[in-house]
Amino acid sequence: MRSLSRLTTVGVLGAAALALLTGCLGSSDSGSGDQDANRNADAKKVELIFGSNSVKGGKSSAGATFISDVLIPKFVAEQKGKGVDVTVKFQGDGSDDEVYKQKLSLDLSNKSGPDLFQIDGIWVGEFAQANYIKPLTETVGEAAKVDDWDGWQQIPESVQALGSYNGKRYGVPGGTDGRVLYFNKKLFQQAGLPADWQPKSWDDIISAGQALKKLSGVTPIQINGGTAMGEATTMQGVLPLLVGTGATVNADGKWLGDTPQLRQVLDFYHQVYTTGLGDPVLQREAKGRDKSFAEFAANKIGILLESDYFWRSVVEPKEGVAKMADRDSAVGWALIPARQPGAGVNGQDFVSMSGGGATVINPNTKFPQQAWEFLQFMNSAEMVKESLAGAAKITQRSDVNSEVLKSDPMLSFVAEKVLPITQYRPGRAEYPKVSAALQQATADVVGGKSTEAAATAYEKAVETAAGGKDKVTTN
Amino acid sequence: MTSASAPARDGSPARGRAPARDVAGLGVGRALGFVAPALLLISAFLIFPALWTIYIGITNYRLTGVEAVSPSVVGLSNYTAALNDALFHNALWLTLLFVLGSAIIGQNILGFTLAWVMRRTRPAVRRTVEAVVLLAWILPGTVVAYLWVAFYDRDGGTLNALLGTPGTAWLIDYPMACLVVFNTWRGTAFSMMLYSSALQAVPPSQLESARMVGASGWQTLRDIVFPHIRGHVLTNTLLISLWTANDFSPFLLTKGGPNHESETVPVYIYNVALQGGELGYSSAISFLLLIANLLVSLVYLRLLRRRS
């Protein structure tokens, strides 16, 4: 009897604990859904925190400087004119994107975090599913107040998709980009390659690499691969190559499995990293991408696949993280060719991938109306233009683009030649796991595994990520 | 003192507990009052999180996505997934390697050797060596980890300068060996201090006798020193094994890379939980690690008890 009563006590305690735990788990949805969107709408003293994965003097320094030194003071002054005393704190971060996402997710799951924050477009879906963010119309309250903002007319629908999920706007996108092949003209000249190089197939890239290989101390080709590079591997490696085979990572609701196209991409990696055309060690280093930037700037890398970010923020002569004083004459760029002419997605000869982020409002903010005002102010033509600080950059606004891109031949090239042929990543919650599986597959190949073994392991990972074999394409 | 489980005088098992008042001479109520603060703290910071982890481990709870809002109980599928997870197997193997290499062999042997050698050195020398070795133990783990990252660095790293091997990426080419050396260096101070005090318990007269009869150094260690310090060896091995098995510093050196080659179980748990957002699955693996640690502890405790 005694042991029975002891068991009962343990059982009751266990059940109570589990009930408590269940309650805690289930509680994450409550508390934010039915808040009054007009709370504190008339407040005369307002405090907002703006979060961004950028930091002065570090990651995306120009963006952080603009937000803290220009945007915030101007917004504060504008609000002061309306008789509202606003304080906006900038919460900058200099982490890897994955780390920033973790921190933000933990904050938001705890009903805290900045009032407004910038996120990658591919996180919108999973953040929305987790109720970390809500459609702007819900957060702000009145649909008309959001939909009538004149800024939307200047943002192309494809770009608006960066801040949308299931057809609803969750945030205002902050510009887009495009990927090209950069090459070092000085090294090309030494290798006897043309200064106006434009490969028409993957074979042309390999041929150029073989010519560059003859130069001492030069890594001919840098295509991001492996897990250490994180999402950079997927965006600046696998996906641009994949669309060059005619496939996309998600088609008709199914994820790419072990297909001939995937194997073609892995074969390309195999060719580059097992024949001395690429540096496999660089792909495995935690700071490999940064090192590849430094090596390109030091004339040690011949060809590198990157977004226009590389041009305007990496090798940029004054503010870049790997400055090249002679950037304008030494750096060339070319469209990424399909595997063979016409073999790309939609039958294209050339392909690219684009990404971008959005600024969203924390549904738990104390000041939803003021946060929306800040968002509109931030994305006004005037502020978007100011954010460029005289430099050129592809912005979210067509009116600004047509004015500012004229002065920069590279960015004009992206806007005119790349964006019309580009593809965006699927904004689905499973994407990060599929992306991780793609990174692993390239890591396997760069590390010496066969294409077959890597592709087989990849498919298994994707089936788990997608939630079943029926959600994966194989042929 | 009457034991609660002592047999009755006629040899039959005791029928009931000893009177409650016999608990250390206190009433049960007062005794509970004394331990209540500790019980409360243990419940709040150990039992509750452990229960929480067990519960999360049977759900598909995630950091983001729809499962962050409405996770469902998935039974033991996280555990069966772990059994079929090649990366988890890899992490287990690497953790075992890490514990064996850096704790059981590295810290133990180096710590004991230093303590043994230093017995006979002059106090000034001993103090200096102790200070240097202790430095590794005093410095915050993060600082030590980054010092070793710099030491192993491919470009301008101290190790390459010492060996004349420029361009060797130690942390990438030999990640586990690097971690074993790092952890051996870092944890040796603790073993050395523990063995230094243990060696003081060895009777000098026995050592002197051994010397007089011409026993070799190994014979002296085996027949006189080890029997005296066996308990210390077991205790030390238990502690440093558990610390190493749970150590997260490999993340600071390699993040578990390259390509999972240094991804020990704690690092794998972190990567699964926060990089991958799989909180349910990572909780299940955490619980498996807890079980493994408990089993290891039980083996050591059994060995210790046998000795006593």
Side-chain angles (χ1 to χ4, degrees):
Chain A
M1 270 308 280
R2 182 164 289 120
S3 60
L4 188 65
S5 69
R6 200 177 298 165
L7 268 178
T8 312
T9 313
V10 171
V12 168
L13 278 174
L18 281 183
L20 182 60
L21 294 175
T22 318
C24 291
L25 260 185
S27 69
S28 55
D29 190 29
S30 61
S32 64
D34 302 321
Q35 293 191 74
D36 175 15
N38 283 312
R39 58 191 181 276
N40 301 317
D42 300 324
K44 293 294 170 202
K45 193 165 173 59
V46 175
E47 285 184 11
L48 293 171
I49 297 176
F50 187 93
S52 166
N53 193 15
S54 59
V55 65
K56 268 189 185 180
K59 183 168 185 166
S60 303
S61 178
T65 307
F66 164 71
I67 294 165
S68 50
D69 293 357
V70 181
L71 177 65
I72 290 175
K74 291 213 169 190
F75 179 69
V76 169
E78 191 232 23
Q79 289 292 308
K80 204 174 178 181
K82 295 180 184 174
V84 183
D85 176 15
V86 181
T87 309
V88 186
K89 282 185 191 158
F90 176 63
Q91 196 177 85
D93 203 322
S95 313
D96 289 342
D97 289 348
E98 286 83 0
V99 176
Y100 174 68
K101 181 183 167 191
Q102 289 162 24
K103 287 195 269 191
L104 210 47
S105 302
L106 290 171
D107 279 352
L108 295 167
S109 65
N110 199 31
K111 309 280 179 241
S112 59
D115 299 276
L116 299 113
F117 48 89
Q118 293 177 317
I119 57 174
D120 193 309
I122 50 166
W123 304 345
V124 172
E126 50 184 322
F127 275 40
Q129 284 186 338
N131 283 343
Y132 294 162
I133 54 176
K134 291 184 179 294
L136 282 171
T137 49
E138 269 185 49
T139 307
V140 178
E142 288 172 57
K145 203 182 269 185
V146 174
D147 296 336
D148 291 353
W149 176 50
D150 59 3
W152 295 121
Q153 293 158 19
Q154 296 298 333
I155 304 176
E157 275 194 24
S158 62
V159 180
Q160 282 191 35
L162 285 167
S164 304
Y165 177 66
N166 275 351
K168 290 181 180 172
R169 294 178 181 129
Y170 282 77
V172 180
T176 187
D177 59 8
R179 273 139 193 86
V180 298
L181 286 172
Y182 290 96
F183 57 96
N184 186 309
K185 287 184 183 171
K186 286 187 271 190
L187 296 178
F188 265 51
Q189 192 182 15
Q190 288 170 36
L193 294 164
D196 59 348
W197 181 65
Q198 175 54 69
K200 295 192 169 57
S201 67
W202 290 1
D203 285 343
D204 286 354
I205 301 173
I206 298 292
S207 300
Q210 279 159 348
L212 289 160
K213 199 176 161 186
K214 291 171 190 152
L215 304 178
S216 164
V218 169
T219 302
I221 302 172
Q222 160 59 23
I223 305 280
N224 290 345
T227 51
M229 298 272 186
E231 184 61 14
T233 287
T234 322
M235 263 310 251
Q236 272 89 239
V238 181
L239 295 185
L241 291 170
L242 187 65
V243 290
T245 67
T248 53
V249 71
N250 186 291
D252 305 323
K254 281 191 171 188
W255 292 100
L256 176 89
D258 177 6
T259 60
Q261 292 91 340
L262 175 85
R263 292 193 181 207
Q264 286 162 4
V265 172
L266 295 179
D267 278 339
F268 183 80
Y269 272 96
H270 191 263
Q271 198 174 4
V272 168
Y273 288 108
T274 59
T275 60
L277 293 176
D279 177 0
V281 173
L282 201 62
Q283 308 310 308
R284 304 170 82 195
E285 287 192 73
K287 294 283 175 195
R289 190 170 175 226
D290 294 340
K291 283 199 177 179
S292 72
F293 291 162
E295 287 189 16
F296 187 95
N299 304 311
K300 288 181 180 171
I301 286 180
I303 302 166
L304 180 144
L305 200 165
E306 260 298 340
S307 80
D308 56 76
Y309 162 76
F310 181 77
W311 172 263
R312 57 184 161 76
S313 294
V314 178
V315 289
E316 201 279 328
K318 288 175 190 159
E319 303 281 334
V321 291
K323 300 174 187 65
M324 281 183 87
D326 56 351
R327 177 194 71 171
D328 294 352
S329 59
V331 180
W333 57 87
L335 290 169
I336 303 166
R339 194 169 71 90
Q340 289 163 350
V345 68
N346 304 326
Q348 292 171 197
D349 295 336
F350 300 100
V351 291
S352 189
M353 290 297 299
S354 294
T359 307
V360 297
I361 300 176
N362 188 336
N364 295 299
T365 178
K366 281 185 190 168
F367 302 100
Q369 299 305 319
Q370 294 84 344
W372 171 236
E373 279 194 46
F374 186 89
L375 209 49
Q376 293 174 82
F377 185 79
M378 177 183 177
N379 291 285
S380 63
E382 186 197 348
M383 279 299 111
V384 170
K385 228 184 294 174
E386 282 224 37
S387 73
L388 302 174
K393 186 186 167 192
I394 302 163
T395 75
Q396 65 276 40
R397 293 187 65 114
S398 304
D399 51 354
V400 177
N401 285 345
S402 58
E403 193 179 328
V404 299
L405 293 183
K406 279 183 248 165
S407 58
D408 189 297
M410 197 276 145
L411 295 175
S412 300
F413 178 81
V414 174
E416 290 162 19
K417 307 280 185 192
V418 176
L419 292 187
I421 58 165
T422 197
Q423 295 281 317
Y424 286 85
R425 290 168 290 181
R428 291 169 176 260
E430 302 89 7
Y431 172 78
K433 285 196 274 186
V434 175
S435 172
L438 288 169
Q439 291 159 32
Q440 183 59 51
T442 57
D444 288 347
V445 173
V446 172
K449 271 194 189 172
S450 70
T451 296
E452 271 185 22
T456 309
Y458 162 78
E459 177 152 305
K460 207 175 155 192
V462 173
E463 282 172 6
T464 309
K469 284 186 180 186
D470 57 324
K471 290 170 185 161
V472 177
T473 309
T474 47
N475 52 36
Chain B
M1 190 178 129
T2 309
S3 162
S5 57
R9 285 201 178 168
D10 60 1
S12 63
R15 286 195 180 166
R17 291 180 184 180
R21 193 159 288 285
D22 281 358
V23 181
L26 300 168
V28 173
R30 279 186 73 191
L32 274 178
F34 279 118
V35 296
L39 270 179
L40 198 68
L41 288 174
I42 289 172
S43 302
F45 295 111
L46 197 70
I47 297 174
F48 180 77
L51 285 173
W52 171 275
T53 305
I54 295 169
Y55 176 66
I56 300 280
I58 57 166
T59 70
N60 62 355
Y61 191 33
R62 281 181 51 79
L63 188 61
T64 59
V66 72
E67 295 90 352
V69 188
S70 46
S72 43
V73 173
V74 293
L76 295 178
S77 65
N78 284 330
Y79 291 93
T80 49
L83 291 177
N84 295 309
D85 182 352
L87 287 178
F88 179 55
H89 300 164
N90 172 64
L92 276 176
W93 163 243
L94 293 176
T95 307
L96 193 65
L97 208 65
F98 192 41
V99 171
L100 275 174
S102 68
I104 295 179
I105 298 174
Q107 294 177 14
N108 249 340
I109 291 181
L110 195 60
F112 178 79
T113 308
L114 280 170
W116 182 250
V117 170
M118 293 222 299
R119 273 169 58 244
R120 292 166 179 271
T121 54
R122 274 182 268 160
V125 176
R126 191 163 65 227
R127 277 197 295 274
T128 310
V129 173
E130 277 177 0
V132 170
V133 178
L134 264 179
L135 202 62
W137 215 60
I138 293 166
L139 285 172
T142 317
V143 175
V144 178
Y146 283 118
L147 284 175
W148 278 82
V149 169
F151 181 75
Y152 288 132
D153 191 37
R154 175 161 73 150
D155 308 313
T158 313
L159 186 58
N160 277 332
L162 284 173
L163 299 179
T165 51
T168 304
W170 295 96
L171 280 170
I172 290 165
D173 294 339
Y174 315 99
M176 275 316 290
C178 288
L179 289 177
V180 165
V181 172
F182 151 77
N183 197 43
T184 301
W185 181 84
R186 187 180 54 156
T188 294
F190 178 80
S191 295
M192 182 195 77
M193 297 297 282
L194 195 135
Y195 288 133
S196 287
S197 72
L199 287 173
Q200 286 170 13
V202 181
S205 58
Q206 289 188 18
L207 292 174
E208 182 61 19
S209 303
R211 198 181 61 80
M212 297 278 281
V213 299
S216 68
W218 169 242
Q219 284 171 328
T220 309
L221 282 175
R222 187 190 62 197
D223 298 331
I224 297 175
V225 177
F226 282 140
H228 274 98
I229 65 167
R230 188 165 173 268
H232 291 84
V233 172
L234 285 171
T235 307
N236 184 47
T237 309
L238 170 64
L239 288 175
I240 61 179
S241 297
L242 291 179
W243 288 341
T244 303
N246 295 322
D247 188 18
F248 190 62
S249 52
F251 183 84
L252 299 171
L253 277 91
T254 62
K255 288 189 176 176
N259 197 21
H260 308 284
E261 286 170 33
S262 61
E263 197 172 47
T264 55
V265 174
V267 177
Y268 185 56
I269 290 170
Y270 172 83
N271 284 339
V272 169
L274 295 169
Q275 301 274 0
E278 307 274 358
L279 299 180
Y281 185 45
S282 65
S283 297
I285 304 172
S286 304
F287 187 59
L288 290 176
L289 180 63
L290 175 70
I291 299 285
N293 284 340
L294 279 175
L295 288 176
V296 170
S297 306
L298 284 175
V299 170
Y300 278 118
L301 289 174
R302 178 65 61 91
L303 287 172
L304 269 173
R305 202 173 299 153
R306 190 181 294 167
R307 176 211 173 236
S308 64

